[in-house]
């Protein structure tokens, strides 16, 4: 699903935590000038990765840290933040984010 992220000016001061459709993401421009969008959902126990600097992102819940260039966990290299493709349309930024699947909930009464 194509999601509007913002105008190109939003890339001037990164990394930053942004909210898209009530979900937290990390917007970052790497040292090569490439914009990146990561989920801010920590794969460890689903805290918000919200302590951000240019090299490392950190989840304050249990101190899991992530490389800003790749989203790979430093604590557990097999884990990483989900990343999403970013593309531009004139001066606007969009991301390709999978749509949320609705799950059917069935309650049984005896």
């Amino acid at each position: 699903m194509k999601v509007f992220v913002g105008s190109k000016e939003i890339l001037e001061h990164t990394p930053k935590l942004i909210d898209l459709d009530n979900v937290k993401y990390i917007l970052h421009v790497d040292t090569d000038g490439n914009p990146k969008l990561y989920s801010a959902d920590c794969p460890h126990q689903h805290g918000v990765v919200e302590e951000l600097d240019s090299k490392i992102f950190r989840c304050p819940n249990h101190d899991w840290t992530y490389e800003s260039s790749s989203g790979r966990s430093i604590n557990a290299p097999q884990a990483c933040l989900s990343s999403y493709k970013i593309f531009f349309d004139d001066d606007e930024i969009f991301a390709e984010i999978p749509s949320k699947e609705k799950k059917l909930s069935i309650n049984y009464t005896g």
Side-chain angles (χ1 to χ4, degrees):
M1 170 172 71
K2 181 178 174 179
V3 176
F4 176 69
V5 174
S7 65
K8 281 188 179 178
E9 288 93 29
I10 197 171
L11 296 174
E12 291 175 8
H13 303 287
T14 65
K16 66 175 69 178
L17 200 61
I18 62 172
D19 187 289
L20 302 174
D21 195 25
N22 296 316
V23 178
K24 302 285 186 203
Y25 295 89
I26 301 166
L27 183 63
H28 178 57
V29 177
D30 68 17
T31 55
D32 294 329
N34 300 312
K36 299 186 176 238
L37 185 69
Y38 298 108
S39 169
D41 179 36
C42 181
H44 176 230
Q45 289 188 350
H46 304 290
V48 176
V49 178
E50 60 188 353
E51 294 179 7
L52 313 172
D53 72 33
S54 62
K55 296 190 188 247
I56 294 176
F57 305 150
R58 188 174 84 79
C59 178
N61 289 6
H62 299 102
D63 290 326
W64 272 42
T65 54
Y66 301 87
E67 298 172 347
S68 65
S69 61
S70 65
R72 184 177 307 230
S73 172
I74 295 167
N75 306 73
Q78 74 280 8
C80 64
L81 299 174
S82 297
S83 62
Y84 304 95
K85 181 179 176 183
I86 288 182
F87 52 96
F88 296 92
D89 187 358
D90 294 321
D91 287 335
E92 297 180 325
I93 303 167
F94 293 88
E96 190 64 38
I97 298 175
S99 59
K100 298 175 191 171
E101 292 182 345
K102 303 263 183 196
K103 293 185 178 178
L104 179 62
S105 175
I106 301 172
N107 293 325
Y108 291 97
T109 57

